[in-house]
Amino acid sequence: MLGLSRRQAEILAFLREREPTEHAPTLDEVCEALGLRSRGSLHKHVRALQAAGLVRPGANGRGLQLCDPDADPEDTLPVLGRIAAGQPIEAIDQQQHLAVPSILRGRGQSYVLRVDGDSMIDEGILDGDWVVVEHRDTARNGELVVALVDDENATLKRFQLDGAEVVLHAANAAYEPQRYPADRVQIQGVIVGQMRRY
Amino acid sequence: MLGLSRRQAEILAFLREREPTEHAPTLDEVCEALGLRSRGSLHKHVRALQAAGLVRPGANGRGLQLCDPDADPEDTLPVLGRIAAGQPIEAIDQQQHLAVPSILRGRGQSYVLRVDGDSMIDEGILDGDWVVVEHRDTARNGELVVALVDDENATLKRFQLDGAEVVLHAANAAYEPQRYPADRVQIQGVIVGQMRRY
DNA sequence: CTTGCCCGTTCTCCATTTGTTCTCTAATGT
DNA sequence: ACATTAGAGAACAAATGGAGAACGGGCAAG
């Protein structure tokens, strides 16, 4: 077996017995079901199960659900936030997942950002669009990137390395290219897909 | 396991328990049924469920209905061809299907076209993009449509009805609006989604 | 055509829920 | 005796989720 303690196995069994459309139970609900009186106690076990990759929080960041690699037929990626030029990525108010066809993804781990603003309209990326971002920390010249400047401000731009400087080009004549010493800029990811709904 | 929150699961259960022939309940109706007092509160949950592909608006664009998980297990649409301005839709030489998330689809039957050319770049639709087209034979002013002119030449444009004439607007200053008597123009569909791969 | 109503959407504010960490204690094993 | 495991319970903070307000689009009625 997996070397689970008795209580850990009980937690997994409890989750397995739930219907798939039932909500992810909170720690309180799991406690009540298993006869525990303290979420703190439960949490120790949950932490071990999370470390083992067997459970994770529900879609809203709360509660507990099984990690079942077969149980996610929906081909979704997490929506991590909204991105506008020069501001921190604004976390969305609720954990969301978006169905993204595999054809729009890169080979690595990906996530989705929602675009705020018009700085990339000449690239056909409009306010409100979703962009699929592949986790990468390097980019080639000309690639569209999510770049973090001074560990703080994220922006969606076209990347260019010019000697020891990084040039971040908007795709909108109203905005000037931004130049930074390369060590102030971190590439957080590269755009590999884009979607829009009308 | 979907990892739904308690309220999200309640919403799904409520929709599931309705007769299939009942109208899609408005947000107010769902609120009343679930004991909520604010559509804003409900809307947060609804948005998450929409993003997860589990619910969508009703037929009139309002209310809430379940997405039918059995209707298209493959979640793909046919790619019918390539569309450029003023030419017949160029059939592709091989039957293709493209995975299109339900969030990008309309309520009716849809298909996908690949875009040729730059006539819609100011709308963020670039050469090589895919557009999701919902079968419709009428359009409202301002909607992006696939229009067939003289039963022969298809084009992707913004639709405007001007008296007895149809005006088809490109989204590129290099192209003039095209005017036709309305009886020479057939609407083949309305654009409801767009995707791009980098 | 105008107006009013329905309804979806977005936003702010705030109370409560909930996850997380920690200490203490009891039971068990070495 | 000491170490380990596991449970209770307290404290804290994050953030979820609810209410309610405002706005605007669409549709039906006049």
mmCIF file of all heavy atoms in Angstrom, chain C residues 1-17:
data_model
loop_
_atom_site.group_PDB
_atom_site.id
_atom_site.type_symbol
_atom_site.label_atom_id
_atom_site.label_comp_id
_atom_site.label_asym_id
_atom_site.label_seq_id
_atom_site.Cartn_x
_atom_site.Cartn_y
_atom_site.Cartn_z
ATOM 1 P P DC C 1 -36.828 54.775 -34.703
ATOM 2 O OP1 DC C 1 -36.513 55.240 -35.979
ATOM 3 O OP2 DC C 1 -36.053 54.028 -33.756
ATOM 4 O "O5'" DC C 1 -37.907 55.621 -33.950
ATOM 5 C "C5'" DC C 1 -38.193 56.977 -34.266
ATOM 6 C "C4'" DC C 1 -38.816 57.584 -33.033
ATOM 7 O "O4'" DC C 1 -39.997 56.808 -32.712
ATOM 8 C "C3'" DC C 1 -37.894 57.497 -31.830
ATOM 9 O "O3'" DC C 1 -37.920 58.711 -31.113
ATOM 10 C "C2'" DC C 1 -38.443 56.358 -30.990
ATOM 11 C "C1'" DC C 1 -39.904 56.341 -31.391
ATOM 12 N N1 DC C 1 -40.470 54.958 -31.368
ATOM 13 C C2 DC C 1 -41.471 54.637 -30.440
ATOM 14 O O2 DC C 1 -41.881 55.523 -29.685
ATOM 15 N N3 DC C 1 -41.954 53.385 -30.408
ATOM 16 C C4 DC C 1 -41.477 52.460 -31.252
ATOM 17 N N4 DC C 1 -41.990 51.221 -31.189
ATOM 18 C C5 DC C 1 -40.463 52.775 -32.195
ATOM 19 C C6 DC C 1 -39.992 54.023 -32.219
ATOM 20 P P DT C 2 -36.842 58.906 -29.911
ATOM 21 O OP1 DT C 2 -36.449 60.308 -29.915
ATOM 22 O OP2 DT C 2 -35.843 57.831 -29.998
ATOM 23 O "O5'" DT C 2 -37.730 58.629 -28.617
ATOM 24 C "C5'" DT C 2 -38.974 59.311 -28.469
ATOM 25 C "C4'" DT C 2 -39.642 58.843 -27.195
ATOM 26 O "O4'" DT C 2 -40.161 57.507 -27.378
ATOM 27 C "C3'" DT C 2 -38.707 58.786 -25.988
ATOM 28 O "O3'" DT C 2 -39.392 59.329 -24.881
ATOM 29 C "C2'" DT C 2 -38.427 57.294 -25.824
ATOM 30 C "C1'" DT C 2 -39.721 56.676 -26.328
ATOM 31 N N1 DT C 2 -39.579 55.306 -26.883
ATOM 32 C C2 DT C 2 -40.482 54.336 -26.490
ATOM 33 O O2 DT C 2 -41.379 54.538 -25.692
ATOM 34 N N3 DT C 2 -40.285 53.106 -27.075
ATOM 35 C C4 DT C 2 -39.321 52.770 -27.991
ATOM 36 O O4 DT C 2 -39.257 51.647 -28.443
ATOM 37 C C5 DT C 2 -38.413 53.842 -28.360
ATOM 38 C C7 DT C 2 -37.324 53.573 -29.340
ATOM 39 C C6 DT C 2 -38.581 55.046 -27.800
ATOM 40 P P DT C 3 -38.623 59.631 -23.522
ATOM 41 O OP1 DT C 3 -39.048 60.964 -23.053
ATOM 42 O OP2 DT C 3 -37.196 59.302 -23.712
ATOM 43 O "O5'" DT C 3 -39.248 58.542 -22.548
ATOM 44 C "C5'" DT C 3 -40.645 58.281 -22.586
ATOM 45 C "C4'" DT C 3 -40.956 57.039 -21.800
ATOM 46 O "O4'" DT C 3 -40.714 55.867 -22.627
ATOM 47 C "C3'" DT C 3 -40.102 56.855 -20.547
ATOM 48 O "O3'" DT C 3 -40.958 56.497 -19.482
ATOM 49 C "C2'" DT C 3 -39.136 55.725 -20.914
ATOM 50 C "C1'" DT C 3 -39.981 54.924 -21.884
ATOM 51 N N1 DT C 3 -39.219 54.092 -22.845
ATOM 52 C C2 DT C 3 -39.674 52.816 -23.129
ATOM 53 O O2 DT C 3 -40.653 52.348 -22.626
ATOM 54 N N3 DT C 3 -38.912 52.140 -24.043
ATOM 55 C C4 DT C 3 -37.783 52.587 -24.695
ATOM 56 O O4 DT C 3 -37.186 51.888 -25.492
ATOM 57 C C5 DT C 3 -37.370 53.935 -24.353
ATOM 58 C C7 DT C 3 -36.154 54.514 -24.985
ATOM 59 C C6 DT C 3 -38.100 54.610 -23.453
ATOM 60 P P DG C 4 -40.465 56.678 -17.988
ATOM 61 O OP1 DG C 4 -41.342 57.655 -17.332
ATOM 62 O OP2 DG C 4 -38.993 56.836 -17.969
ATOM 63 O "O5'" DG C 4 -40.798 55.232 -17.411
ATOM 64 C "C5'" DG C 4 -41.969 54.551 -17.887
ATOM 65 C "C4'" DG C 4 -41.798 53.066 -17.678
ATOM 66 O "O4'" DG C 4 -41.035 52.500 -18.779
ATOM 67 C "C3'" DG C 4 -41.044 52.694 -16.404
ATOM 68 O "O3'" DG C 4 -41.693 51.573 -15.833
ATOM 69 C "C2'" DG C 4 -39.635 52.335 -16.900
ATOM 70 C "C1'" DG C 4 -39.956 51.736 -18.268
ATOM 71 N N9 DG C 4 -38.863 51.801 -19.230
ATOM 72 C C8 DG C 4 -37.995 52.843 -19.442
ATOM 73 N N7 DG C 4 -37.129 52.600 -20.392
ATOM 74 C C5 DG C 4 -37.445 51.319 -20.841
ATOM 75 C C6 DG C 4 -36.871 50.529 -21.849
ATOM 76 O O6 DG C 4 -35.919 50.801 -22.588
ATOM 77 N N1 DG C 4 -37.503 49.289 -21.972
ATOM 78 C C2 DG C 4 -38.571 48.881 -21.206
ATOM 79 N N2 DG C 4 -39.054 47.672 -21.454
ATOM 80 N N3 DG C 4 -39.123 49.616 -20.254
ATOM 81 C C4 DG C 4 -38.522 50.811 -20.123
ATOM 82 P P DC C 5 -41.394 51.165 -14.330
ATOM 83 O OP1 DC C 5 -42.646 51.315 -13.571
ATOM 84 O OP2 DC C 5 -40.150 51.819 -13.891
ATOM 85 O "O5'" DC C 5 -41.115 49.611 -14.503
ATOM 86 C "C5'" DC C 5 -41.887 48.852 -15.438
ATOM 87 C "C4'" DC C 5 -41.110 47.631 -15.854
ATOM 88 O "O4'" DC C 5 -40.120 47.993 -16.857
ATOM 89 C "C3'" DC C 5 -40.337 46.969 -14.712
ATOM 90 O "O3'" DC C 5 -40.623 45.583 -14.727
ATOM 91 C "C2'" DC C 5 -38.866 47.257 -15.026
ATOM 92 C "C1'" DC C 5 -38.894 47.362 -16.544
ATOM 93 N N1 DC C 5 -37.793 48.180 -17.117
ATOM 94 C C2 DC C 5 -37.095 47.691 -18.225
ATOM 95 O O2 DC C 5 -37.389 46.584 -18.679
ATOM 96 N N3 DC C 5 -36.091 48.437 -18.751
ATOM 97 C C4 DC C 5 -35.795 49.623 -18.225
ATOM 98 N N4 DC C 5 -34.816 50.320 -18.782
ATOM 99 C C5 DC C 5 -36.510 50.138 -17.105
ATOM 100 C C6 DC C 5 -37.489 49.398 -16.585
ATOM 101 P P DC C 6 -40.222 44.684 -13.485
ATOM 102 O OP1 DC C 6 -41.444 44.027 -12.995
ATOM 103 O OP2 DC C 6 -39.348 45.441 -12.578
ATOM 104 O "O5'" DC C 6 -39.341 43.588 -14.217
ATOM 105 C "C5'" DC C 6 -39.760 43.088 -15.489
ATOM 106 C "C4'" DC C 6 -38.588 42.454 -16.179
ATOM 107 O "O4'" DC C 6 -37.692 43.484 -16.672
ATOM 108 C "C3'" DC C 6 -37.748 41.536 -15.303
ATOM 109 O "O3'" DC C 6 -37.504 40.355 -16.038
ATOM 110 C "C2'" DC C 6 -36.468 42.346 -15.043
ATOM 111 C "C1'" DC C 6 -36.361 43.162 -16.309
ATOM 112 N N1 DC C 6 -35.630 44.457 -16.196
ATOM 113 C C2 DC C 6 -34.626 44.751 -17.130
ATOM 114 O O2 DC C 6 -34.365 43.928 -18.002
ATOM 115 N N3 DC C 6 -33.977 45.930 -17.041
ATOM 116 C C4 DC C 6 -34.292 46.811 -16.081
ATOM 117 N N4 DC C 6 -33.632 47.969 -16.040
ATOM 118 C C5 DC C 6 -35.324 46.520 -15.118
ATOM 119 C C6 DC C 6 -35.958 45.347 -15.209
ATOM 120 P P DC C 7 -37.018 39.031 -15.328
ATOM 121 O OP1 DC C 7 -37.476 37.908 -16.149
ATOM 122 O OP2 DC C 7 -37.352 39.106 -13.904
ATOM 123 O "O5'" DC C 7 -35.442 39.157 -15.468
ATOM 124 C "C5'" DC C 7 -34.886 39.216 -16.773
ATOM 125 C "C4'" DC C 7 -33.451 39.655 -16.695
ATOM 126 O "O4'" DC C 7 -33.372 41.060 -16.399
ATOM 127 C "C3'" DC C 7 -32.632 38.967 -15.609
ATOM 128 O "O3'" DC C 7 -31.696 38.118 -16.249
ATOM 129 C "C2'" DC C 7 -31.939 40.109 -14.847
ATOM 130 C "C1'" DC C 7 -32.132 41.286 -15.791
ATOM 131 N N1 DC C 7 -32.173 42.605 -15.130
ATOM 132 C C2 DC C 7 -31.350 43.630 -15.633
ATOM 133 O O2 DC C 7 -30.627 43.383 -16.593
ATOM 134 N N3 DC C 7 -31.370 44.839 -15.022
ATOM 135 C C4 DC C 7 -32.170 45.046 -13.986
ATOM 136 N N4 DC C 7 -32.147 46.264 -13.446
ATOM 137 C C5 DC C 7 -33.017 44.034 -13.466
ATOM 138 C C6 DC C 7 -32.988 42.836 -14.065
ATOM 139 P P DG C 8 -30.754 37.158 -15.435
ATOM 140 O OP1 DG C 8 -30.989 35.810 -15.980
ATOM 141 O OP2 DG C 8 -30.842 37.408 -13.992
ATOM 142 O "O5'" DG C 8 -29.331 37.659 -15.954
ATOM 143 C "C5'" DG C 8 -29.132 37.839 -17.358
ATOM 144 C "C4'" DG C 8 -27.939 38.722 -17.590
ATOM 145 O "O4'" DG C 8 -28.190 40.054 -17.091
ATOM 146 C "C3'" DG C 8 -26.661 38.252 -16.914
ATOM 147 O "O3'" DG C 8 -25.592 38.480 -17.819
ATOM 148 C "C2'" DG C 8 -26.556 39.154 -15.686
ATOM 149 C "C1'" DG C 8 -27.163 40.447 -16.200
ATOM 150 N N9 DG C 8 -27.785 41.291 -15.185
ATOM 151 C C8 DG C 8 -28.736 40.931 -14.272
ATOM 152 N N7 DG C 8 -29.112 41.917 -13.500
ATOM 153 C C5 DG C 8 -28.361 42.993 -13.925
ATOM 154 C C6 DG C 8 -28.325 44.337 -13.470
ATOM 155 O O6 DG C 8 -28.985 44.839 -12.560
ATOM 156 N N1 DG C 8 -27.414 45.104 -14.174
ATOM 157 C C2 DG C 8 -26.639 44.640 -15.210
ATOM 158 N N2 DG C 8 -25.816 45.523 -15.777
ATOM 159 N N3 DG C 8 -26.654 43.384 -15.660
ATOM 160 C C4 DG C 8 -27.537 42.619 -14.968
ATOM 161 P P DT C 9 -24.155 37.925 -17.515
ATOM 162 O OP1 DT C 9 -23.534 37.674 -18.813
ATOM 163 O OP2 DT C 9 -24.249 36.871 -16.502
ATOM 164 O "O5'" DT C 9 -23.442 39.182 -16.848
ATOM 165 C "C5'" DT C 9 -23.265 40.363 -17.629
ATOM 166 C "C4'" DT C 9 -22.649 41.447 -16.797
ATOM 167 O "O4'" DT C 9 -23.614 41.955 -15.863
ATOM 168 C "C3'" DT C 9 -21.431 41.005 -15.971
ATOM 169 O "O3'" DT C 9 -20.317 41.719 -16.443
ATOM 170 C "C2'" DT C 9 -21.802 41.379 -14.531
ATOM 171 C "C1'" DT C 9 -22.913 42.387 -14.726
ATOM 172 N N1 DT C 9 -23.896 42.482 -13.628
ATOM 173 C C2 DT C 9 -24.126 43.717 -13.041
ATOM 174 O O2 DT C 9 -23.543 44.716 -13.373
ATOM 175 N N3 DT C 9 -25.065 43.709 -12.056
ATOM 176 C C4 DT C 9 -25.804 42.632 -11.599
ATOM 177 O O4 DT C 9 -26.625 42.770 -10.700
ATOM 178 C C5 DT C 9 -25.519 41.374 -12.254
ATOM 179 C C7 DT C 9 -26.244 40.141 -11.840
ATOM 180 C C6 DT C 9 -24.600 41.363 -13.221
ATOM 181 P P DT C 10 -18.889 41.380 -15.918
ATOM 182 O OP1 DT C 10 -17.992 41.575 -17.058
ATOM 183 O OP2 DT C 10 -18.916 40.106 -15.174
ATOM 184 O "O5'" DT C 10 -18.616 42.546 -14.869
ATOM 185 C "C5'" DT C 10 -18.831 43.890 -15.282
ATOM 186 C "C4'" DT C 10 -18.783 44.802 -14.078
ATOM 187 O "O4'" DT C 10 -19.996 44.644 -13.312
ATOM 188 C "C3'" DT C 10 -17.629 44.522 -13.114
ATOM 189 O "O3'" DT C 10 -16.861 45.694 -12.989
ATOM 190 C "C2'" DT C 10 -18.309 44.145 -11.796
ATOM 191 C "C1'" DT C 10 -19.675 44.782 -11.955
ATOM 192 N N1 DT C 10 -20.760 44.144 -11.181
ATOM 193 C C2 DT C 10 -21.563 44.938 -10.381
ATOM 194 O O2 DT C 10 -21.424 46.139 -10.283
ATOM 195 N N3 DT C 10 -22.544 44.267 -9.716
ATOM 196 C C4 DT C 10 -22.802 42.910 -9.755
ATOM 197 O O4 DT C 10 -23.723 42.426 -9.114
ATOM 198 C C5 DT C 10 -21.926 42.145 -10.608
ATOM 199 C C7 DT C 10 -22.099 40.668 -10.719
ATOM 200 C C6 DT C 10 -20.959 42.785 -11.269
ATOM 201 P P DC C 11 -15.450 45.651 -12.251
ATOM 202 O OP1 DC C 11 -14.575 46.557 -12.997
ATOM 203 O OP2 DC C 11 -15.082 44.257 -12.008
ATOM 204 O "O5'" DC C 11 -15.765 46.317 -10.837
ATOM 205 C "C5'" DC C 11 -16.446 47.565 -10.800
ATOM 206 C "C4'" DC C 11 -17.014 47.796 -9.427
ATOM 207 O "O4'" DC C 11 -18.167 46.953 -9.236
ATOM 208 C "C3'" DC C 11 -16.067 47.432 -8.284
ATOM 209 O "O3'" DC C 11 -15.509 48.621 -7.729
ATOM 210 C "C2'" DC C 11 -16.939 46.710 -7.261
ATOM 211 C "C1'" DC C 11 -18.322 46.751 -7.858
ATOM 212 N N1 DC C 11 -19.068 45.495 -7.653
ATOM 213 C C2 DC C 11 -20.195 45.500 -6.828
ATOM 214 O O2 DC C 11 -20.524 46.572 -6.304
ATOM 215 N N3 DC C 11 -20.870 44.355 -6.623
ATOM 216 C C4 DC C 11 -20.469 43.235 -7.207
ATOM 217 N N4 DC C 11 -21.172 42.121 -6.977
ATOM 218 C C5 DC C 11 -19.336 43.196 -8.069
ATOM 219 C C6 DC C 11 -18.660 44.338 -8.257
ATOM 220 P P DT C 12 -14.417 48.511 -6.567
ATOM 221 O OP1 DT C 12 -13.492 49.615 -6.792
ATOM 222 O OP2 DT C 12 -13.940 47.127 -6.496
ATOM 223 O "O5'" DT C 12 -15.260 48.800 -5.242
ATOM 224 C "C5'" DT C 12 -16.218 49.844 -5.224
ATOM 225 C "C4'" DT C 12 -16.950 49.817 -3.894
ATOM 226 O "O4'" DT C 12 -17.894 48.720 -3.893
ATOM 227 C "C3'" DT C 12 -16.032 49.585 -2.690
ATOM 228 O "O3'" DT C 12 -16.418 50.463 -1.651
ATOM 229 C "C2'" DT C 12 -16.271 48.123 -2.314
ATOM 230 C "C1'" DT C 12 -17.714 47.922 -2.746
ATOM 231 N N1 DT C 12 -18.046 46.515 -3.111
ATOM 232 C C2 DT C 12 -19.193 45.960 -2.587
ATOM 233 O O2 DT C 12 -19.944 46.544 -1.837
ATOM 234 N N3 DT C 12 -19.414 44.662 -2.996
ATOM 235 C C4 DT C 12 -18.642 43.911 -3.837
ATOM 236 O O4 DT C 12 -18.958 42.762 -4.125
ATOM 237 C C5 DT C 12 -17.468 44.569 -4.353
ATOM 238 C C7 DT C 12 -16.550 43.829 -5.257
ATOM 239 C C6 DT C 12 -17.216 45.826 -3.966
ATOM 240 P P DC C 13 -15.506 50.634 -0.363
ATOM 241 O OP1 DC C 13 -15.540 52.064 0.012
ATOM 242 O OP2 DC C 13 -14.235 49.942 -0.595
ATOM 243 O "O5'" DC C 13 -16.312 49.811 0.732
ATOM 244 C "C5'" DC C 13 -17.712 50.072 0.917
ATOM 245 C "C4'" DC C 13 -18.298 49.032 1.815
ATOM 246 O "O4'" DC C 13 -18.480 47.799 1.080
ATOM 247 C "C3'" DC C 13 -17.430 48.675 3.028
ATOM 248 O "O3'" DC C 13 -18.237 48.787 4.189
ATOM 249 C "C2'" DC C 13 -16.977 47.238 2.773
ATOM 250 C "C1'" DC C 13 -18.093 46.713 1.894
ATOM 251 N N1 DC C 13 -17.716 45.596 0.989
ATOM 252 C C2 DC C 13 -18.548 44.483 0.907
ATOM 253 O O2 DC C 13 -19.575 44.448 1.598
ATOM 254 N N3 DC C 13 -18.205 43.467 0.091
ATOM 255 C C4 DC C 13 -17.098 43.557 -0.648
ATOM 256 N N4 DC C 13 -16.808 42.535 -1.453
ATOM 257 C C5 DC C 13 -16.232 44.694 -0.584
ATOM 258 C C6 DC C 13 -16.584 45.691 0.248
ATOM 259 P P DC C 14 -17.561 48.778 5.643
ATOM 260 O OP1 DC C 14 -18.300 49.746 6.471
ATOM 261 O OP2 DC C 14 -16.100 48.855 5.490
ATOM 262 O "O5'" DC C 14 -17.918 47.309 6.146
ATOM 263 C "C5'" DC C 14 -19.256 46.826 6.016
ATOM 264 C "C4'" DC C 14 -19.290 45.357 6.341
ATOM 265 O "O4'" DC C 14 -18.847 44.596 5.193
ATOM 266 C "C3'" DC C 14 -18.371 44.937 7.489
ATOM 267 O "O3'" DC C 14 -19.067 43.978 8.261
ATOM 268 C "C2'" DC C 14 -17.194 44.282 6.784
ATOM 269 C "C1'" DC C 14 -17.924 43.618 5.633
ATOM 270 N N1 DC C 14 -17.097 43.205 4.493
ATOM 271 C C2 DC C 14 -17.424 42.029 3.809
ATOM 272 O O2 DC C 14 -18.388 41.380 4.186
ATOM 273 N N3 DC C 14 -16.649 41.645 2.763
ATOM 274 C C4 DC C 14 -15.613 42.380 2.384
ATOM 275 N N4 DC C 14 -14.900 41.959 1.349
ATOM 276 C C5 DC C 14 -15.271 43.592 3.064
ATOM 277 C C6 DC C 14 -16.028 43.961 4.110
ATOM 278 P P DA C 15 -19.024 44.081 9.882
ATOM 279 O OP1 DA C 15 -19.918 45.172 10.319
ATOM 280 O OP2 DA C 15 -17.608 44.032 10.307
ATOM 281 O "O5'" DA C 15 -19.721 42.691 10.257
ATOM 282 C "C5'" DA C 15 -20.854 42.280 9.502
ATOM 283 C "C4'" DA C 15 -20.810 40.789 9.277
ATOM 284 O "O4'" DA C 15 -19.924 40.482 8.164
ATOM 285 C "C3'" DA C 15 -20.301 39.984 10.459
ATOM 286 O "O3'" DA C 15 -21.096 38.806 10.527
ATOM 287 C "C2'" DA C 15 -18.851 39.671 10.092
ATOM 288 C "C1'" DA C 15 -18.957 39.524 8.579
ATOM 289 N N9 DA C 15 -17.742 39.824 7.840
ATOM 290 C C8 DA C 15 -16.845 40.842 8.051
ATOM 291 N N7 DA C 15 -15.848 40.870 7.200
ATOM 292 C C5 DA C 15 -16.099 39.789 6.371
ATOM 293 C C6 DA C 15 -15.406 39.271 5.268
ATOM 294 N N6 DA C 15 -14.287 39.796 4.782
ATOM 295 N N1 DA C 15 -15.924 38.179 4.658
ATOM 296 C C2 DA C 15 -17.049 37.658 5.135
ATOM 297 N N3 DA C 15 -17.795 38.054 6.172
ATOM 298 C C4 DA C 15 -17.255 39.136 6.748
ATOM 299 P P DT C 16 -21.045 37.924 11.860
ATOM 300 O OP1 DT C 16 -22.404 37.885 12.415
ATOM 301 O OP2 DT C 16 -19.892 38.310 12.698
ATOM 302 O "O5'" DT C 16 -20.745 36.507 11.209
ATOM 303 C "C5'" DT C 16 -21.297 36.198 9.930
ATOM 304 C "C4'" DT C 16 -20.412 35.185 9.236
ATOM 305 O "O4'" DT C 16 -19.237 35.834 8.710
ATOM 306 C "C3'" DT C 16 -19.927 34.062 10.147
ATOM 307 O "O3'" DT C 16 -20.442 32.846 9.633
ATOM 308 C "C2'" DT C 16 -18.393 34.154 10.109
ATOM 309 C "C1'" DT C 16 -18.123 34.968 8.843
ATOM 310 N N1 DT C 16 -16.913 35.810 8.873
ATOM 311 C C2 DT C 16 -16.017 35.714 7.832
ATOM 312 O O2 DT C 16 -16.157 34.977 6.901
ATOM 313 N N3 DT C 16 -14.933 36.550 7.937
ATOM 314 C C4 DT C 16 -14.669 37.448 8.954
ATOM 315 O O4 DT C 16 -13.659 38.149 8.931
ATOM 316 C C5 DT C 16 -15.657 37.493 9.999
ATOM 317 C C7 DT C 16 -15.464 38.425 11.147
ATOM 318 C C6 DT C 16 -16.717 36.687 9.918
ATOM 319 P P DT C 17 -20.137 31.450 10.331
ATOM 320 O OP1 DT C 17 -21.393 30.689 10.290
ATOM 321 O OP2 DT C 17 -19.379 31.635 11.587
ATOM 322 O "O5'" DT C 17 -19.153 30.845 9.245
ATOM 323 C "C5'" DT C 17 -19.443 31.073 7.866
ATOM 324 C "C4'" DT C 17 -18.249 30.674 7.035
ATOM 325 O "O4'" DT C 17 -17.188 31.622 7.218
ATOM 326 C "C3'" DT C 17 -17.682 29.303 7.363
ATOM 327 O "O3'" DT C 17 -17.452 28.661 6.129
ATOM 328 C "C2'" DT C 17 -16.386 29.632 8.122
ATOM 329 C "C1'" DT C 17 -15.971 30.935 7.456
ATOM 330 N N1 DT C 17 -15.121 31.866 8.258
ATOM 331 C C2 DT C 17 -13.985 32.401 7.655
ATOM 332 O O2 DT C 17 -13.648 32.126 6.544
ATOM 333 N N3 DT C 17 -13.287 33.274 8.447
ATOM 334 C C4 DT C 17 -13.585 33.669 9.732
ATOM 335 O O4 DT C 17 -12.882 34.463 10.327
ATOM 336 C C5 DT C 17 -14.786 33.091 10.293
ATOM 337 C C7 DT C 17 -15.205 33.448 11.668
ATOM 338 C C6 DT C 17 -15.486 32.225 9.534
#
